[in-house]
Amino acid sequence: MKIAATLLACVLVLAGCGGSDEPDPDVPTTSVADQQAEQAEQLEKAQEDLKDKVSGTVVAIVIQDGKVVGQGKRVKVKVGAPISLNIRSDADEEIHVHSDPEHTYQVKAGEPLTEQLTIDTPGQVAVEAHHLDVTIVQLVVEP
């Protein structure tokens, strides 16, 4: 009788440990859109935090899944004023700033990079991702 009771107790314990392939409704799931929105919020927060530490214009650059997030924006900057490029990428990339002189920055996957520069000539300056062969942002340099 003791053995039967012990076996019954073991069966009940093991039955309680059994799992299900269905997701737990109490555990939230995250969609790709939600993940991207969260990353955009994190980027905005990082950009705001960086603004407190540097003077001038901060340009946030995010490269994710082979695309530039927020590609094609125009950012107004002043001649000779400091510009900080806050770069995050999930792949190695080479960033070119087509000013005079030109600037080139090597970005390693997963390693945030902040570079500062100034531009002394008014006009439009393209910032490009070399490997993706796309324009990230146009800096509109004003006197």
Side-chain angles (χ1 to χ4, degrees), residues 16-71:
C17 293
S20 169
D21 290 340
E22 294 183 25
D24 186 344
D26 296 329
V27 176
T29 57
T30 308
S31 70
V32 172
D34 289 340
Q35 289 173 351
Q36 289 174 340
E38 182 179 328
Q39 289 172 347
E41 287 176 22
Q42 290 173 352
L43 179 62
E44 286 178 32
K45 183 183 182 312
Q47 186 170 348
E48 288 300 317
D49 291 345
L50 194 57
K51 279 183 184 178
D52 294 338
K53 297 176 186 171
V54 297
S55 61
T57 303
V58 177
V59 178
I61 298 171
V62 176
I63 300 171
Q64 180 180 329
D65 299 326
K67 295 181 182 175
V68 176
V69 177
Q71 178 181 344

Side-chain angles (χ1 to χ4, degrees), residues 77-83 85 97-101 103 116-127 138-142:
V77 298
K78 293 287 184 188
V79 167
I83 303 166
L85 301 180
V97 180
H98 292 283
S99 58
D100 185 21
H103 302 272
Q116 292 191 350
L117 67 138
T118 59
I119 301 173
D120 297 325
T121 306
Q124 288 195 25
V125 174
V127 179
Q138 288 281 345
L139 301 176
V140 180
V141 185
E142 300 176 337

Side-chain angles (χ1 to χ4, degrees), residues 72-93:
K73 293 182 180 179
R74 290 177 179 253
V75 176
K76 291 182 180 181
V77 298
K78 293 287 184 188
V79 167
I83 303 166
S84 294
L85 301 180
N86 187 9
I87 309 165
R88 295 178 188 215
S89 178
D90 63 0
D92 289 352
E93 185 57 82

